Structures are given as C-alpha cells and as structure tokens.
C-alpha cells in the first residue's frame, strides 16, 4: 500500500495573490497556458499577470488550448515555449489547459524528443508546473495525469508520464463566470472520480479517505445541483430576472465547496486512476462531442450495477455516502441534471471493441468483465438507435 501526493495545494479566496512569492519561486520566465476566453473573463489570468508584472518576470501567454486538447496543440505550444526559453509553466483554466500545461512542460524540458515521447515509457522530467483551476471537476491540479486527444487513434488517452503540478492555487471565485451547465458537468466529473476511485482495483484505506470524503461532500451538493439545473426561475432572488446569471444561483461558500470536492476527488484518482466509465466516455466525447463530465457521469449508475454483481457492499457504501437509496435513484438524478446521449448500434459495437482493447483500463476493474459486460453498461446508460 502506498500514498504519494507531492503537490502543495492552497484552497482559499485570493490564493493566487496570497501565495505570489511561492508562485514566483518556480522560475524566472513564465509560459502561461490557457483557453481562448474564460481565464480573461473570470479574472484568473489578470491575477497571475499582475503578480508577474509587479515582479518584472517576463512571460508569454499561449491562449489557444481547445477543449480536450490534442497532441498537435501541445506540440505546437511547446515549440513556442521553447523559443521563448521559459523555465516554468503556469496552467490556468479547466482540465484542458491544465493537462496541456503538463504535456507542454514535459516537451519543453526535453527538446531532443518529439511528440512520440508523450506515449512512450521513458524516464523524463518536466519543467515545474503551477496549476490554477477554474472549473470544479477534473482535479488536474493535483493529479499526475494529462489526457490528450489522439486524432491518429480517434480517441483520448492520458500520456505515459506522471507530472504532478508543484503548486495548485484553487479559488472558488473563478467559478463566478461559469454557466450552470459547466458547473453541473464538471461537478459530475468529480463525482465520477470519487466513485471510480472507490470502486477500483487499487482502492485502499489511504485512498478511501479521499474518495469517501469526496462522496459525502458531493452528497451535500445534490440539492444545489438540483436547484441550478432547474434554472434561474426556480431560485428566489432579489435580482430581477434579466439581471440574474448562473453565478447568482451559487453562494461563495457553494463555489468553494464545489472546488473542494473537485480537488479531493482529484486526490482520490491520483492514487488509483479512473476506471471503466472514463474509458467509455472517451469514445462518446471524441465521436459525439459530449462534454467530459457528462460523458463520464452518464455511465456511473450502470457501472455501479455491474460492480454490484460482484460486490454489492461497496456499492451500497457509495450510495449511502451520497445519500441515494439505490443506483436507479442515482441514475435518474444524473439523467435529470445531465440529459441523455444517443448513439447507433454500430457505434455501440465499436465503442465496446475499443474499451475491450484498452487492457490497462480494464485492469482497473477488480473483477473479470467481458465484452457483454461493457455492452450492458453502454446499453443501460445511452439511447441506442438502429
Ligand atoms: P475544459 O475543457 O477545460 O473547459 C470547458 C469550457 O469551459 C471551455 O470552453 C472553457 O473556456 C470554459 N471555462 C473554463 N473555466 C471557466 C469559467 N470559470 N467560467 C466560464 N467558462 C469556463 O473543461 P474541464 O471539464 O475542466 O476539462 C476537461 C478536460 O480535462 C478533458 O480533456 C478531460 O479528459 C480532462 N481531465 C483530466 C483529468 C486529470 O486528472 N488530468 C481528470 C479528468 C478530466 P476557455 O476555452 O475559454 O478557457
Ligand atoms: Zn474525469
């Protein structure tokens, strides 16, 4: 049994400013990796820039990271970062820019390598990474993983290297600009991390501390998610309807709890990895364009049913921590807040074949599972048309 969690985490309001000296200690030329718009809109980018400007630290911003970033994107960005001779990388945004920052930091530190090294098992180190999340789902700020889209294989996969950020600065205020759907999808990703980590080949008592605490925290967020999924009209507000935004539906304390649940869930999967719902999700994200958290959450109830065929006790433990009487109730709740996904019979067959070929992910499931088991999870979770 082992435990390893080398990232220093601050979760508090204004933590970027509060811990500026620590942020500055990781290098003297910064390469900032972020998405197209959101970090500018939610203030996280300006918070970082004001610190770098005040300390006269040179920086370059790469703000062209797409959702589910590709190998091609990180390769292009790493080339720009190398030319700039940055010596540390700051990722700001959702899981996409944070994962991209890790892969970019690896490529920048190893100029002799090309993109092929991302998926080779070699001993390579990366430049230091500082991670500033602005969504409440992936936990990438505390995990060693960096999931990239591999167009050559028409799917997504985490790179072969473990890159833990040196520093994670987690501030719920950056969620103020997030839509209800972004909060819901990313919060469900955090749920998937807790469930898959708790029901996992590598689950142990250390990791239970994180997955079980994350599940009980998530259970407390269920009424909040129900409220925001019902939309602004369902919420009493002193603001007139036209002035309300999704942000008005959440208190500062809610936002901090969403961030905490996400970070704790990240700490859980950092010890185990994710499992079958994530493996199947990569197919419907790549092919159907379903956002990551929704793509994972839609499979959770059926995954738990499958698991319960071998170990009902652990599944009941997960349900009781969440406060749901049965997997049917959990599944109905998730469908209500997420909606449904439709695929064809041919896609169902293809996705089952691809998951069966993913032997490393299959090994995360503690029992034997055959293709029929995978098809059962898919069929119970999605609408399938001819
Ligand atoms: P994301 O793909 O990073 O971002 C989704 C969208 O949300 C983007 O359009 C982004 O806009 C916007 N956005 C981000 N923060 C916002 C905010 N505060 N307000 C308003 N809009 C905001 O979403 P994600 O779900 O966080 O990350 C998903 C990725 O993480 C997937 O590739 C998944 O595979 C990966 N992942 C990694 C791990 C891990 O352990 N490393 C775990 C789970 C998932 P901009 O583009 O303008 O920024
Ligand atoms: Zn995930």
């Amino acid at each position: 049994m082992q435990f390893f969690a080398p990232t220093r985490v601050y979760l508090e309001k204004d933590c970027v400013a509060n811990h500026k000296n620590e942020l500055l200690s990781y290098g003297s030329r910064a390469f900032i990796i972020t998405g197209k718009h959101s970090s500018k809109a939610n203030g996280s980018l300006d918070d970082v820039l004001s610190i770098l400007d005040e300390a006269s630290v040179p920086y370059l911003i790469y703000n062209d990271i797409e959702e589910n970033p590709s190998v091609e994107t990180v390769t292009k960005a790493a080339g720009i970062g190398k030319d700039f001779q940055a010596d540390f990388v700051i990722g700001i945004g959702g899981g996409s820019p944070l994962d991209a920052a890790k892969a970019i930091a690896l490529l920048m530190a190893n100029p002799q390598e090309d993109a092929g090294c991302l998926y080779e098992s070699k001993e390579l180190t990366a430049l230091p990474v500082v991670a500033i999340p602005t969504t409440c789902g992936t936990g990438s700020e505390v995990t060693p993983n960096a999931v990239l889209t591999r167009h050559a294989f028409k799917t997504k996969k985490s790179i072969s290297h473990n890159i833990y950020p040196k520093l994670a600065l987690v501030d719920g205020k950056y969620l103020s600009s997030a839509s209800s759907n972004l909060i819901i999808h990313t919060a469900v990703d955090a749920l998937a991390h807790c469930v898959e980590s708790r029901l996992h080949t590598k689950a142990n008592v250390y990791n239970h501390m994180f997955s079980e605490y994350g599940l009980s925290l998530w259970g407390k967020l269920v009424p909040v998610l129900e409220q925001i999924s019902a939309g602004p009209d369902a919420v009493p507000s002193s603001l007139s309807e036209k002035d309300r935004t999704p942000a008005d539906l959440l208190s500062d304390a809610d936002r901090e709890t969403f961030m905490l649940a996400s970070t704790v869930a990240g700490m859980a999967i950092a010890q185990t990895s994710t499992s079958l719902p994530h493996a199947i999700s990569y197919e419907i994200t790549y092919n159907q364009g379903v956002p990551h958290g929704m793509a994972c959450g839609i499979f959770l109830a059926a995954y738990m049913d499958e698991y319960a065929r071998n170990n009902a006790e652990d599944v009941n433990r997960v349900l009781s921590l969440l406060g749901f009487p049965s997997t049917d109730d959990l599944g109905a709740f998730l469908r209500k807040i997420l909606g449904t996904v439709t695929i064809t019979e041919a896609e169902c067959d293809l996705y089952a074949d691809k998951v069966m070929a993913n032997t490393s992910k299959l090994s995360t499931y503690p029992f034997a599972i055959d293709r029929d088991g995978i098809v059962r999870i898919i069929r119970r979770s999605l609408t399938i048309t001819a």
Side-chain angles (χ1 to χ4, degrees):
M1 196 160 83
Q2 65 158 311
F3 181 78
F4 184 59
T7 304
R8 185 181 299 281
V9 186
Y10 294 98
L11 187 149
E12 69 203 26
K13 192 163 189 319
D14 300 326
C15 55
V16 172
N18 294 348
H19 302 285
K20 62 183 177 184
N21 291 339
E22 192 158 344
L23 186 154
L24 293 169
S25 74
Y26 289 107
S28 54
R29 284 175 82 77
F31 193 32
I32 298 175
I33 303 301
T34 189
K36 290 187 172 62
H37 308 292
S38 68
S39 64
K40 186 77 199 150
N42 63 39
S44 51
L45 181 61
D46 282 344
D47 282 353
V48 170
L49 297 189
S50 70
I51 287 164
L52 298 175
D53 284 335
E54 185 188 283
S56 302
V57 171
Y59 60 81
L60 184 68
I61 303 171
Y62 186 89
N63 66 351
D64 209 9
I65 301 296
E66 74 275 37
E67 293 181 32
N68 307 294
S70 65
V71 169
E72 290 77 9
T73 296
V74 300
T75 308
K76 180 178 168 200
I80 294 170
K82 277 184 242 174
D83 289 345
F84 180 66
Q85 298 186 322
D87 58 4
F88 74 126
V89 178
I90 306 175
I92 310 175
S96 296
L98 300 194
D99 283 6
K102 295 176 191 175
I104 291 165
L106 183 86
L107 292 173
M108 286 175 64
N110 298 282
Q112 75 286 0
E113 301 282 350
D114 61 19
C117 79
L118 293 169
Y119 290 97
E120 282 169 11
S121 39
K122 279 186 177 176
E123 283 292 312
L124 296 175
T125 51
L127 294 184
V129 175
V130 175
I132 302 171
T134 66
T135 62
C136 51
T138 72
S140 178
E141 66 278 6
V142 292
T143 76
N145 309 317
V147 182
L148 300 180
T149 295
R150 302 174 91 190
H151 289 299
F153 296 86
K154 293 191 167 22
T155 191
K156 297 168 57 178
K157 190 174 185 188
S158 188
I159 64 171
S160 306
H161 306 270
N162 286 339
I163 302 166
Y164 287 93
K166 298 282 184 211
L167 178 66
L169 297 167
V170 188
D171 190 336
K173 76 179 178 186
Y174 300 137
L175 290 178
S176 310
S177 59
S179 66
S180 298
N181 266 345
L182 186 64
I183 301 269
I184 291 167
H185 292 163
T186 58
V188 168
D189 188 22
L191 170 68
H193 295 165
C194 290
V195 172
E196 292 174 49
S197 173
R198 180 63 181 79
L199 306 178
H200 192 288
T201 306
K202 290 191 191 161
N204 63 36
V205 291
Y206 289 145
N207 139 277
H208 288 177
M209 292 191 301
F210 294 96
S211 56
E212 294 205 349
Y213 179 66
L215 288 164
S216 61
L217 206 53
W218 210 90
K220 295 196 180 79
L221 288 167
V222 165
V224 182
L225 286 164
E226 198 138 34
Q227 205 173 42
I228 61 175
S229 77
D233 295 348
V235 179
S237 168
S238 55
L239 296 174
S240 68
E241 199 172 312
K242 76 173 178 25
D243 292 328
R244 284 186 229 161
T245 68
D248 299 319
L249 307 183
L250 294 177
S251 66
D252 287 352
D254 290 336
R255 280 188 278 273
E256 189 154 313
T257 309
F258 275 112
M259 279 302 202
L260 177 61
S262 169
T263 303
V264 168
M267 290 168 177
I269 53 166
Q271 304 307 313
T272 55
S273 84
T274 54
S275 190
L276 301 181
H278 268 68
I280 312 173
S281 84
Y282 296 153
E283 305 309 321
I284 63 166
T285 292
Y286 190 87
N287 294 288
Q288 268 71 35
V290 179
H292 174 70
M294 175 174 178
C296 298
I298 210 91
F299 295 110
L300 284 181
Y303 174 70
M304 289 166 68
D305 282 339
E306 196 64 30
Y307 195 103
R309 294 159 80 104
N310 294 287
N311 181 339
E313 198 185 317
D314 280 0
V315 169
N316 288 335
R317 173 85 182 142
V318 168
L319 288 169
S320 80
L321 288 162
L322 285 171
F324 283 94
S326 69
T327 53
D328 282 350
D329 292 293
L330 175 63
F333 172 73
L334 290 173
R335 271 193 303 283
K336 186 170 147 197
I337 63 169
L338 294 173
T340 51
V341 174
T342 302
I343 62 170
T344 64
E345 288 286 350
E347 285 167 336
C348 177
D349 280 342
L350 174 67
Y351 302 167
D353 288 342
K354 287 183 87 169
V355 173
M356 287 311 289
N358 189 347
T359 49
S360 66
K361 267 288 188 255
L362 286 178
S363 71
T364 65
Y365 185 68
F367 314 106
I369 186 160
D370 58 10
R371 192 177 182 284
D372 288 349
I374 300 294
V375 169
R376 247 190 325 268
I377 296 175
I378 298 176
R379 285 192 177 283
R380 284 188 184 186
S381 307
L382 308 182
T383 305
I384 311 224
T385 59

